[in-house]
């Protein structure tokens, strides 16, 4: 058994332990107009691991109590799942809704890091709607 086989065998256990329920909404990419649901690729449920990493902007300032206050400039989120769990191949612009968290994201990029897994780089739709 190779190292890649060992990693691939962990995939299901990772999702069972750390997984988050999500619904993928495949979207049509339409130039110069809003994206619309793709009629050829129906929405589907999927379980995967959601990561939310924070990027910090600039130096932090000291509060009156001596603690530092750090401003978050942006978040770079991702969702990773077993490749075989995707009913249709994810594409840029698809929408993923995290059921347990009640949040929606747009797929910005797709990578294939760990053997047998797909990682979606996400952009929060709530942040865009608030602006």
């Amino acid at each position: 058994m190779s190292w890649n086989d060992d990693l691939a065998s962990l995939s299901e256990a990772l999702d069972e332990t750390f997984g988050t329920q999500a619904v993928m909404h495949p979207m049509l990419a339409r130039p110069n107009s809003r994206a619309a649901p793709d009629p050829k690729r129906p929405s589907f449920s999927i379980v995967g691991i959601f990561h939310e990493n924070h990027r910090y902007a600039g130096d932090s300032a000291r509060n009156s109590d001596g603690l530092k206050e750090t401003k978050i400039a942006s978040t770079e989120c991702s969702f990773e799942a077993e490749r075989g769990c995707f009913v249709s191949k994810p594409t840029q612009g698809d929408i993923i809704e995290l059921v347990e968290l009640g949040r929606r994201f747009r797929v910005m990029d797709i990578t294939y890091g760990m053997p047998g897994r797909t990682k979606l780089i996400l952009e929060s739709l709530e942040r865009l709607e608030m602006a």
Side-chain angles (χ1 to χ4, degrees):
M1 191 179 253
S2 73
W3 174 252
N4 285 342
D5 293 336
D6 288 340
L7 285 176
S9 68
L10 289 174
S11 187
E12 189 175 332
L14 286 171
D15 290 337
E16 286 178 16
T17 306
F18 304 107
T20 300
Q21 181 71 35
V23 178
M24 285 288 298
H25 301 285
M27 304 297 278
L28 281 173
R30 301 186 315 176
N32 302 323
S33 64
R34 292 187 183 268
D38 188 342
K40 295 180 182 177
R41 299 184 303 148
S43 296
F44 58 92
S45 293
I46 189 168
V47 175
I49 301 171
F50 174 67
H51 302 274
E52 187 167 25
N53 301 323
H54 300 285
R55 287 188 178 173
Y56 299 102
D59 295 330
S60 53
R62 290 226 180 254
N63 290 337
S64 59
D65 58 4
L67 298 174
K68 287 186 175 183
E69 179 181 325
T70 305
K71 296 180 182 177
I72 298 174
S74 66
T75 58
E76 190 175 86
C77 305
S78 65
F79 184 83
E80 186 177 327
E82 196 170 336
R83 200 164 295 147
C85 292
F86 288 91
V87 174
S88 60
K89 185 177 179 181
T91 59
Q92 288 180 344
D94 286 354
I95 303 295
I96 185 167
E97 182 178 354
L98 300 176
V99 177
E100 297 168 13
L101 301 176
R103 296 176 65 190
R104 294 168 46 93
F105 297 89
R106 178 182 297 122
V107 176
M108 299 303 293
D109 197 10
I110 300 107
T111 61
Y112 307 96
M114 189 171 156
R117 295 188 66 83
T118 299
K119 184 175 185 178
L120 308 175
I121 307 301
L122 307 174
E123 175 183 38
S124 175
L125 290 177
E126 286 86 11
R127 199 173 40 183
L128 295 176
E129 292 167 358
M130 290 177 4

